[in-house]
Structure formats: C-alpha cells, structure tokens
Amino acid sequence: MSSQVNSKEEEEVAPLQRPPSPPLHTTFAARGLHAQNFPAHKPRDLRIPSPQAITHVAWNCDGKRLAGVGIDKITRIWTPETSMESRAATHFSGGHSDDVDYISWNPTHPELFCTSSQKDRRIVFWDARQSRHTQQITLKISPVQTNYSPDGRALIFTSAGHQLFFLTYGKDSDAAKEQWHLSDKDGSIVASTAMFNHVGDGIILTHHSEHSVRVMDYPTLTLRESPAAHVGGCVAVALDPRGRYLASGGYDSIVNMFDLSEWICARTISTCENAINALSFSYDGEYLAIANTGPYIDICATETSAPLHRVPALAPSPTVTWHPSKYVFAYCGQIKLREGGPPPVAVISLFGGGI
C-alpha cells in the first residue's frame, strides 16, 4: 500500500472554500458530539497495473470485506483489517464472459453479493463461501447499477438505455428451490440510478437528463414525490441512515440536502468545482462524502453542510462508500496514461481511521 500522492497532483486540487458559519445549534459542539479529525489521516492507495479502471467498490454489511470490480472478468474481495495488498484479494471468476462493472452486497447476509456486466448482459449471484456462482441471469439489456431491497429479496437495476427493471427472490412452485426471477414489470419507467428506501416500501430514482428526483411507492410504483433538484440532470443520491435527509448530486456540481419530513431542500453544498459522481453518508449520518469528476473527495458535515476536509485522490472516482460502522470510506478510479509517463494504473483507496 502506498500513501504517496505526487506534489503535482496535490497542487491541482483547489482548497475548500469556507461558507459562512452555520447556526450555532447545528454544530457538533452544541449537540455534544466530538468532530472527527479528518486532516490527521492520509489516503491509502493500492495500485493495480491495468489499462482499465476499477469502476465500483462496496463494503459488505458487516464491514469486514471490501469488493472491487471493473478491470476484468474477476471480482476481487479484500479483508481490509488483514491486508489490502493485491495478492491478499480473494478472486471470484467464471460467472462473466466479459468485464464486470458493478457489485452489490446483500444487506441481510455478509457472504452474499451480486455482480453485473454491461458487455455480457449478465447479473450473477455469489456466495463468498464458495468459488462458483450460485445463479446466473442473462438479460436482453445491459445492466448498469444494481441495488438490493432491505430484506434482500428484491433487486432493482437500471440499464444502459436508462430503463428500470426488477428481480425478485422466491419459488416458482412449492417444490422448487428459491431463486432470482425477472419481474414482469416491463421497464417502461426511465431511470439512470435507482435505490430502495430504508424500509423497502419506496424507491428513489434519478435520470441524467431530468432536473428532479422521483420517489415512488414499491411495489405499486405510484409516484409519491418529485422535488426539483438540479440544473442539467441529477446523477447521484444517498439516504441518511437516520432517515432525516436525502442527498442528491448533479452535473451542476451542487449537492442538495432534502428534509424527508417535508421534502424541501434544507441546505445546499456548493464546495465542489466539478460534476458529482457519487454520494455516501457515514454510518451515523453525521458526514457526507462527495465523489466528483475532479481528483479529490470532499467531506462535509450533514447538519451544517460545512466543508470539513478535501481528500486528494490519485484520480477522479466514479464511486465512494463509507464503512458500515467506522469512519472510513473507500473509492476507486484509474491513473490515466500520460505522454512519456508510466502505463495506466487502476486504483482502490481507503481514507480514515479504524482499519
């Protein structure tokens, strides 16, 4: 593992712009909380020689394993508390005939996960206790993102054509074994990203060319809310684990924080200078990590929207994800080929303490 970021890349990262002071009652001190000292930490970077980027990383539900995909047909899973060296990863292969793009862990079981590939049009289900996949589903469309329901028995996914589809887990008959089945919902709903709420009775959708966030009941798919969010398209959302806020990010480089009790925009974060790629709340909901098309990750306080720290990254990250019980997040990307420089390198990084 290397924690070195060259000086040229650090110089390219603009410092955080400090907004006006927030109301006193919203600060960590007023609420009796100890604020994390993020500037005391440095990124820990694993470099993997590859012409392609790591496109997605995800923690399992107990936080003991971290998975990364994107550079080939293999899913790599690390145990970060033991080692994040390349040779320490467990490899899962044989389920895909082309590059894996995305991974989602089952929220009810630390060993179960699924992977998807746009190129081979498959969603493959795995049990980390065995090397072979447990089920393989071939689709007529290219899956882009997947998201489990809270009970782990439904899966929503969006396609490259920005359509929404569903898989459900159950039996065809009383004697049959439980398996994943493609739902009869026909993909008539458009969406670029989709996720379940914490209860599982609603889904949150965004579309790259729509300015609003859509909230629908599940399984009826009745539109419940559609608050305006961004100019030029909404591309990322995250739910506060406490159920207070929904964060949305767009091409306009702005992050909006919606109050879920009234569906109004309570605060706006405008510290980023680049389009937003991904958002993630810490396990206690106190911090928001913002990945964007620039070489850095911003950390902001949820209750005040105050920028706390800018983490220099080796490359722009398509995703960021907090550990489910520690103040650590993972992100990924690729150091591009530069004229006269070294070959391209895929990167997976950790930032924070506790691991």
Side-chain angles (χ1 to χ4, degrees):
M1 296 288 285
S2 170
S3 60
Q4 300 299 316
V5 179
N6 67 52
S7 58
K8 181 177 179 181
E9 286 170 330
E10 287 185 336
E11 291 171 0
E12 292 174 351
V13 178
L16 275 173
Q17 299 298 314
R18 297 284 171 180
S21 298
L24 182 61
H25 70 276
T26 63
T27 63
F28 288 108
R31 292 184 293 127
L33 299 176
H34 174 69
Q36 294 296 304
N37 183 19
F38 291 113
H41 301 287
K42 297 290 185 183
R44 290 164 284 166
D45 306 308
L46 168 65
R47 296 170 170 86
I48 303 175
S50 171
Q52 299 181 165
I54 293 181
T55 55
H56 194 236
V57 289
W59 298 95
N60 72 340
C61 62
D62 64 10
K64 293 181 179 180
R65 296 184 178 186
L66 178 69
V69 296
I71 58 178
D72 50 27
K73 306 172 189 176
I74 298 171
T75 300
R76 292 167 172 79
I77 296 180
W78 288 267
T79 304
E81 291 183 350
T82 303
S83 175
M84 276 297 292
E85 295 294 332
S86 182
R87 64 177 179 270
T90 303
H91 291 189
F92 292 85
S93 60
H96 291 278
S97 61
D98 218 314
D99 299 337
V100 185
D101 305 311
Y102 205 85
I103 176 169
S104 293
W105 289 92
N106 190 309
T108 67
H109 199 297
E111 307 288 353
L112 305 181
F113 64 95
C114 73
T115 55
S116 63
S117 169
Q118 295 183 55
K119 292 182 178 178
D120 69 11
R121 296 186 172 186
R122 291 177 188 170
I123 294 178
V124 180
F125 294 88
W126 306 82
D127 186 328
R129 295 165 295 187
Q130 61 188 59
S131 59
R132 181 171 171 77
H133 58 272
T134 58
Q135 188 177 352
Q136 183 185 77
I137 295 179
T138 301
L139 306 166
K140 296 180 180 179
I141 46 88
S142 297
V144 176
Q145 292 188 355
T146 56
N147 183 265
Y148 278 97
S149 62
D151 64 2
R153 299 186 68 85
L155 188 84
I156 51 177
F157 64 95
T158 53
S159 70
H162 306 288
Q163 295 171 289
L164 182 66
F165 296 90
F166 300 80
L167 293 173
T168 55
Y169 190 68
K171 296 181 178 180
D172 278 338
S173 63
D174 291 339
K177 179 183 176 182
E178 284 194 311
Q179 285 190 315
W180 288 95
H181 305 275
L182 192 61
S183 169
D184 57 3
K185 296 179 175 63
D186 61 4
S188 59
I189 296 174
V190 295
S192 299
T193 70
M195 66 179 295
F196 280 95
N197 65 3
H198 295 323
V199 181
D201 62 358
I203 56 175
I204 301 161
L205 310 176
T206 72
H207 192 276
H208 70 103
S209 63
E210 292 181 2
H211 70 279
S212 61
V213 176
R214 280 172 291 144
V215 181
M216 308 181 83
D217 289 335
Y218 180 83
T220 63
L221 303 183
T222 303
L223 184 65
R224 178 58 62 88
E225 303 285 347
S226 184
H230 297 278
V231 176
C234 182
V235 294
V237 288
L239 268 176
D240 171 10
R242 302 167 298 183
R244 296 180 186 174
Y245 303 107
L246 172 73
S248 69
Y251 290 130
D252 54 11
S253 77
I254 289 173
V255 174
N256 289 319
M257 203 78 73
F258 289 93
D259 183 327
L260 295 184
S261 62
E262 299 179 349
W263 283 106
I264 60 172
C265 184
R267 285 177 296 283
T268 295
I269 300 172
S270 55
T271 56
C272 288
E273 292 86 26
N274 304 88
I276 308 301
N277 281 340
L279 303 167
S280 180
F281 282 99
S282 59
Y283 71 92
D284 57 359
E286 290 291 344
Y287 304 100
L288 180 69
I290 306 170
N292 59 87
T293 56
Y296 57 88
I297 307 288
D298 279 344
I299 305 174
C300 295
T302 301
E303 294 294 343
T304 64
S305 296
L308 302 177
H309 186 55
R310 175 161 286 181
V311 182
L314 294 177
S317 179
T319 188
V320 61
T321 177
W322 283 93
H323 187 281
S325 62
K326 297 179 180 180
Y327 293 120
V328 179
F329 60 75
Y331 52 102
C332 59
Q334 182 190 38
I335 303 174
K336 300 292 186 181
L337 176 66
R338 294 180 179 177
E339 187 175 353
V345 175
V347 179
I348 183 170
S349 304
L350 296 179
F351 179 84
I355 292 181

